[in-house]
Amino acid sequence: ERCAPELRQQPQREAAGQVPRPDPAHGPGTSLRDILGEEDEQDRVPPEKLQLLGESEELRDLLLNPHLQQLLLTIDQAQDKSSLMRRFMQEPLFVEFADCCLSIVEPPEKENVLPE
């Protein structure tokens, strides 16, 4: 009986924005495609392509390098990632890592190949 007044006030609180409502766009069963807009999708790598990164021996070999591991940890922990990325893009080892990742997720189109 004590709960009855509280239950009657619940819809009023929700309408006033006092009770947080679950966000249906980010609830269970929501896919990444539902959350991202089309413009966001252009800069995203599909999960199937990301899976290829984990299967690459060349990338695994690069990631064994302790200097590269330190660079990646530094970026991950940095507050200002964009300026650090600009600086690291001058590092040959980091460029090699980035090129390797890009060649896996976006293989270069074959140029000057005659059709069979």
Side-chain angles (χ1 to χ4, degrees):
E1 293 178 17
R2 291 185 198 168
C3 294
E6 180 67 28
L7 290 176
R8 280 182 263 151
Q9 292 175 355
Q10 185 72 19
Q12 294 169 345
R13 287 184 180 167
E14 286 179 0
Q18 296 172 343
V19 177
R21 294 183 184 183
D23 186 354
H26 296 92
T30 304
S31 73
L32 184 59
R33 292 170 201 236
D34 294 336
I35 296 169
L36 296 176
E38 191 172 312
E39 63 280 352
D40 294 330
E41 193 90 14
Q42 293 173 1
D43 293 334
R44 304 276 179 185
V45 177
E48 307 82 47
K49 298 265 187 168
L50 291 176
Q51 184 70 33
L52 296 174
L53 292 172
E55 299 166 4
S56 169
E57 287 295 323
E58 181 184 3
L59 184 56
R60 263 188 228 154
D61 290 343
L62 276 174
L63 289 169
L64 291 175
N65 184 317
H67 182 60
L68 178 60
Q69 291 174 10
Q70 187 58 51
L71 290 175
L72 295 173
L73 278 173
T74 302
I75 291 170
D76 187 51
Q77 297 169 353
Q79 294 292 326
D80 185 10
K81 294 179 186 341
S82 62
S83 67
L84 194 59
M85 288 285 290
R86 280 191 293 276
R87 194 175 95 210
F88 282 177
M89 286 305 289
Q90 305 303 312
E91 292 269 344
L93 180 59
F94 188 81
V95 172
E96 183 181 359
F97 165 74
D99 287 346
C100 181
C101 292
L102 286 173
S103 70
I104 294 167
V105 298
E106 271 187 25
E109 293 182 25
K110 296 179 181 175
E111 295 179 14
N112 301 326
V113 175
L114 296 174
E116 294 179 17

